[in-house]
Amino acid sequence: IFVTLFLRGGNATGTDNTWRRRTMGLEVVSVLIIIVMSIVNSYQNDWSGHLFDGKQTYNFDRDFYIKPWYRATPYIIGFLCAGLWHEKSRLCPNLGLTKCVGTILSLFSISILLFLVFVGSSAYQHKPCIYYQDVHTDSCGSGWDKPSLALYNSLVRPAWSIALLIMTLLSFNGQFTALGASMVLN
């Protein structure tokens, strides 16, 4: 749907951007709706995306992980990235960021990825639950409370995707800096 709407934008001269802007707005709104829906349902159903959380993980796999509407955020953010790059290339191809801003955004995106990896790893410090055990009543699993699990389940994919979006746009523009070297995709 997003690709069709985006491609519908623009007339023969490329001056009508209404549909492209609406499509990118719809993508952002869709991601926000999915995040809110994920937080609410994750909290209400006591789901856990951590492998050691027994019953909560079993229910997460069955009711959350395999549902396409919960998994759609990375794909929608990917469409948004493509749309942003297309519009940037079409409207202002020579636009770039200062070296300082590029470096800050590069470090920010890398920090998001590292944060998600190491925060999530704290869930694996305890004895794993068996598939029928409850992480909140048995002394096993991650030990995370319901609000933390709901936020983690709902925000990890969008946060990871946004970090990749930043890296991708910076790389396409020749401004992604990692480990002191500029990373350029040709």
Side-chain angles (χ1 to χ4, degrees):
I1 294 172
F2 296 121
V3 173
T4 304
L5 289 174
F6 188 81
L7 292 176
R8 183 170 188 255
N11 57 22
T13 61
T15 57
D16 181 18
N17 296 318
T18 306
W19 279 101
R20 289 187 179 123
R21 287 189 197 123
R22 286 181 185 168
T23 302
M24 288 191 282
L26 180 62
E27 290 167 348
V28 170
V29 169
S30 297
V31 167
L32 294 175
I33 289 171
I34 291 169
I35 289 171
V36 170
M37 186 175 71
S38 298
I39 291 171
V40 169
N41 288 329
S42 236
Y43 184 81
Q44 287 176 345
N45 295 307
D46 194 21
W47 291 330
S48 173
H50 300 301
L51 295 175
F52 285 9
D53 286 348
K55 182 174 76 172
Q56 284 77 11
T57 301
Y58 177 78
N59 291 334
F60 173 84
D61 288 343
R62 187 188 65 212
D63 299 327
F64 184 95
Y65 188 74
I66 62 170
K67 304 293 189 212
W69 48 89
Y70 292 124
R71 295 178 59 106
T73 52
Y75 301 103
I76 296 170
I77 292 171
F79 288 135
L80 182 62
C81 179
L84 289 170
W85 180 253
H86 174 77
E87 289 300 294
K88 184 261 181 210
S89 297
R90 195 174 63 77
L91 297 175
C92 42
N94 297 325
L95 178 68
L97 303 171
T98 65
K99 184 172 176 77
C100 179
V101 172
T103 302
I104 289 170
L105 286 173
S106 297
L107 293 174
F108 177 70
S109 62
I110 292 169
S111 299
I112 290 173
L113 298 178
L114 291 173
F115 175 79
L116 292 173
V117 167
F118 290 112
V119 165
S121 70
S122 70
Y124 301 99
Q125 305 296 321
H126 308 286
K127 179 184 92 168
C129 295
I130 301 173
Y131 75 93
Y132 57 83
Q133 289 180 307
D134 189 315
V135 71
H136 304 298
T137 57
D138 299 314
S139 58
C140 62
S142 66
W144 288 22
D145 59 356
K146 283 175 65 170
S148 298
L149 288 171
L151 289 173
Y152 185 81
N153 294 340
S154 305
L155 297 176
V156 71
R157 280 189 189 92
W160 189 272
S161 301
I162 289 169
L164 289 178
L165 176 138
I166 294 168
M167 287 178 162
T168 302
L169 293 176
L170 288 172
S171 294
F172 285 172
N173 218 32
Q175 294 185 299
F176 179 68
T177 307
L179 306 173
S182 180
M183 310 292 276
V184 179
L185 295 177
N186 292 326

